[in-house]
């Protein structure tokens, strides 16, 4: 959207430049000064539009970064839940005792 506005302003600026040339050929200096001020204003408007576009892009990137962080936090939370469930299913002292007993039997 901002790009189309910028292009429209630049097209108008080109028209004004042509008008300045025509007025200069006719010797109308007052008209040339007025039109030159319009060109300056249009260039300022374009630079403000570029600044606005950059700020909007920055905000969009920050929002995407926050969304990614939220998704990552959700994934970590789910993996934590899975690990907790696995820990409840697997009883480490029992497994250690069974492995110890097995190693005793194999040593015989």
């Amino acid at each position: 959207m901002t790009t189309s506005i910028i292009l429209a302003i630049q097209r108008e600026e080109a028209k004004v430049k042509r008008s300045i040339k025509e007025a200069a050929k006719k010797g109308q200096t007052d008209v040339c000064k007025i039109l030159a001020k319009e060109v300056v204003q249009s260039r300022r408007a374009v630079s403000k539009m570029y600044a606005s576009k950059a700020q909007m892009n920055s905000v969009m990137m920050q929002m995407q970064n926050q969304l990614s962080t939220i998704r990552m936090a959700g994934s970590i939370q789910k993996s934590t839940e899975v690990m907790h469930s696995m820990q409840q299913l697997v009883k480490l002292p029992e497994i250690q005792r069974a492995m110890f007993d097995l190693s005793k039997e194999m040593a015989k």
Side-chain angles (χ1 to χ4, degrees):
M1 180 175 167
T2 55
T3 308
S4 61
I5 294 171
I6 290 170
L7 290 174
I9 292 171
Q10 288 174 338
R11 280 193 297 269
E12 288 298 317
E13 183 180 327
K15 289 178 186 176
V16 172
K17 284 181 183 179
R18 285 192 295 267
S19 298
I20 290 172
K21 288 180 183 178
E22 291 173 10
K25 285 181 184 176
K26 293 178 184 176
Q28 300 171 334
T29 56
D30 294 338
V31 174
C32 288
K33 287 179 185 178
I34 293 169
L35 292 174
K37 288 179 184 178
E38 191 174 325
V39 168
V40 170
Q41 288 176 347
S42 69
R43 287 184 183 167
R44 284 184 186 151
V46 167
S47 66
K48 286 181 183 179
M49 292 297 292
Y50 278 124
S52 296
K53 185 177 179 181
Q55 287 176 341
M56 288 190 322
N57 286 341
S58 174
V59 169
M60 283 178 39
M61 287 177 60
Q62 288 175 355
M63 290 175 69
Q64 288 175 347
N65 188 17
Q66 288 178 349
L67 179 63
S68 298
T69 303
I70 290 169
R71 286 182 180 163
M72 183 64 77
S75 297
I76 291 172
Q77 183 179 5
K78 287 180 183 176
S79 69
T80 302
E81 291 171 4
V82 168
M83 291 172 80
H84 184 67
S85 298
M86 287 297 294
Q87 185 180 12
Q88 288 178 344
L89 290 173
V90 176
K91 305 295 183 189
L92 190 61
E94 292 174 10
I95 292 174
Q96 285 178 334
R97 194 172 318 118
M99 292 300 288
F100 183 72
D101 292 342
L102 185 63
S103 67
K104 276 186 177 179
E105 285 185 30
M106 293 183 96
K108 290 180 182 181

